[in-house]
Amino acid sequence: MKYIFVTGGVVSSLGKGIVTSSLGAILRARGYKVTAVKVDPYINVDAGTMRPYEHGEVFVTADGAETDLDIGHYERFLDIDLGRANNITTGQVYKAVIERERKGEYLSQTVQVIPHVTDEIKNRIRSAAQEQDVEVAIVEIGGTVGDIESLPFLEAIRQFQFDEEDGDVMYLHLTLVPYLQTSEEFKTKPTQHSVATLRGVGIQPDAIVLRSEKEPPQEAYKKVALFTNVRPEAVFASYNVPDIYQVPLVLEEQGLGKLVEKKLRLEPVFPNLGIWSDAVKVLRSPEDTVTIGIAGKYVKMPDAYLSLLEALKHGGIKNRVKVEVNWIDAEGLVEGDISDKFRGVDAVLVPGGFGIRGIEGKIKAAQYARERQIPYLGICLGLQVATIEYARNVAGLEGANSTEFDPYTPHPVIDLMPEQLEVEGLGGTMRLGNWPMKIKPGTLLARVYSGAQLVYERHRHRYEVNPDYVERLSDSGLQISGVTPGMAGRGAGLVEAVELDGHPFFLALQSHPEFKSRPMRPSPPFAAFVEAALRYRRARRKLAQGASGSAEPA
Ligand code: GLN
C-alpha cells in the first residue's frame, strides 16, 4: 500500500478536496486502484449534525454514513463507492479512545495524545485504505496547517514515513498564492511560512501545489522551490479553471502524475484522461443550454446542494447541454403572482431539506410545475411537498401537510416513519444510505431507469408518505411508481417515487439519486430530467419562433 498525504496551508476552502480528487483521477487514469480518505479535525463525530449553510452539503454514502462533501468529490472523480471508514473525525477518534479507556483496555497506562490518539488515527487510516482493495490511498487532512486541532493528525501522518518502506509515502502540500492586482505580483511568502510550519511538525513536503487565481509565472515556482526545500519540478499550480473537471487535466499537464510515479516508485504508465477531456469539451462548447429553477432554502450557498448541482451537470454532459441554475428563494414564492420567478425556467427542481422555512413556497413551486406542465423533479423533501400539494389541490384533502411542519394537520399525508418514533438524538438516526426501490413497469420511472425493476438509491430522511393516505392519493391520480419492496403488513410498502400521468415529466423521489451520480455515469433521473428540460425549451423556442420570429424564448 502506498500513501499520499495532502495537507493545506494559508487559508481553508482552497479546494483541497478537488486537488486530492484530481490527483486520484490522474492515478486512476493510469489504471491504479485508488481510494481516498478525508480527515476532519472537528469534534463532531460526523457531518450529519452540521449546518449545510456553513459546511456545505452532508454527503451520504451507500453504507449510510453522513460525511463531509469531499467524500462526494472523491466518489465522482475516482468513480468508486466509499463508506463510513473514509471520513475520520476527531470526534470518532476520541470517542473510540475514551470508550477503550473506560473498558480498561489500556490496562494501567496513562492515556495520551501520543501514542494513543495518534495510534488510533493511524489504525483508522490504515483500515480505511485496506477496506477497499487498492494500491494507493490518498489521505486529505482537513483544515490548515498550524491549526491546534490538526496537530495530532499531522503527528500521525508524520510517523507513516518511518512506519512504511521508503518510496511508499509521499506528502503534498497545497497553499494559496495570492495575486496582488495593484503591483501585479504573485506573493509566495504565505507559502514559505506555511511550509515552515509544516516542517516544524516534522513533515517535509515532496510536492507543492500553488492555488492561485491565474497561472503563476516561472519565477514564482522557482522561488517556492528555493524557500521550501522542494525541487522546482515538484511545484505545481492549480489555477482557476471554468470547471472542476478540468483540474485533473491541468495537473497532469504539469507532470504531477509523473512525479508521483517517481516518488512512489510506480511503473510509469501513459494516462488515459479521455473522460475528463470529453466532459470538458461538452462543458466548453455545449450544443444548447437549459435553465433549471431550483426552489430551495440555501440559495446563497450552492455548496449546500453540491451533489445535486453535479448530478445536473452530469445530466447536461450526457445530453451535451449546459445546465444553468436559476435559484428561486422558496420564501419569495408565497404571495401574489409567482410566474415572474419562473421566467426563462425550463424545468423546476425542489431539492431535499429540513425544517419549515420556505415550505409553502416549495409547495407552490410543485403546483406551478404540475399545472403548467413544466418538467418537475422532486428530491426527498421535493417528493413530500409534491404529495402535499396534490393532496390539497387535487385529492381535496384540505390542510394536508407533513407532521414535520404541522403536527396538528387534519391530513398528515407525510408522517414520521414508525421506526423514527423511538429515536433519541439527532446524530446518525435517520433512514440513511442505500435502500431498494421496486419500480412499477410501464411508468415514467421505469423508462428513466431503462426498464430496471429494482434499483438502489441513497436516503436521508425521517418522514415518509403516510401509508394510510396512499389509496386515497392514488385513487385521485397520483401515480405511485416506486415502493420499498417486501414491507410485509404495510400494504403498498413505503412510497419511494410518485409521478403524474399526462404530464410531460413530473417525477419525485424519496431518495437522493444525486449522491450516486458520476460524470461518466449520470444518475438516470437527473439525465432524464435534463433531457425533459431540453425538450421543453425546444418546444417553447419553436412556439416563440412561430409567434414572433425571435429565436429565444422569454
Ligand atoms: N425533512 C424531510 C424528512 O426528514 C426531508 C428530508 C430530506 O429532504 N432529505 O423526511
Side-chain angles (χ1 to χ4, degrees), residues 1 14 24 31 119 322 367 393 442 522:
M1 177 75 64
L14 275 180
D119 280 353
K322 178 170 185 214
Q367 181 181 9
N393 301 324

Side-chain angles (χ1 to χ4, degrees), residues 5 56 103 127 163 178 211 219 314 332 372 427 434 464 493 513 545:
F5 294 101
K103 284 193 200 139
S127 63
D163 296 349
R211 184 71 187 90
E219 308 92 79
H314 305 158
R372 311 240 172 168
N434 262 1
E464 60 162 326
Q545 270 169 345

Side-chain angles (χ1 to χ4, degrees), residues 352-354 379-381 384 404 460-463 512:
F354 295 84
I379 301 294
C380 204
L381 181 66
Q384 299 177 357
E404 182 180 4
R460 184 174 187 249
H461 63 117
R462 289 186 205 283
Y463 294 80
H512 287 270

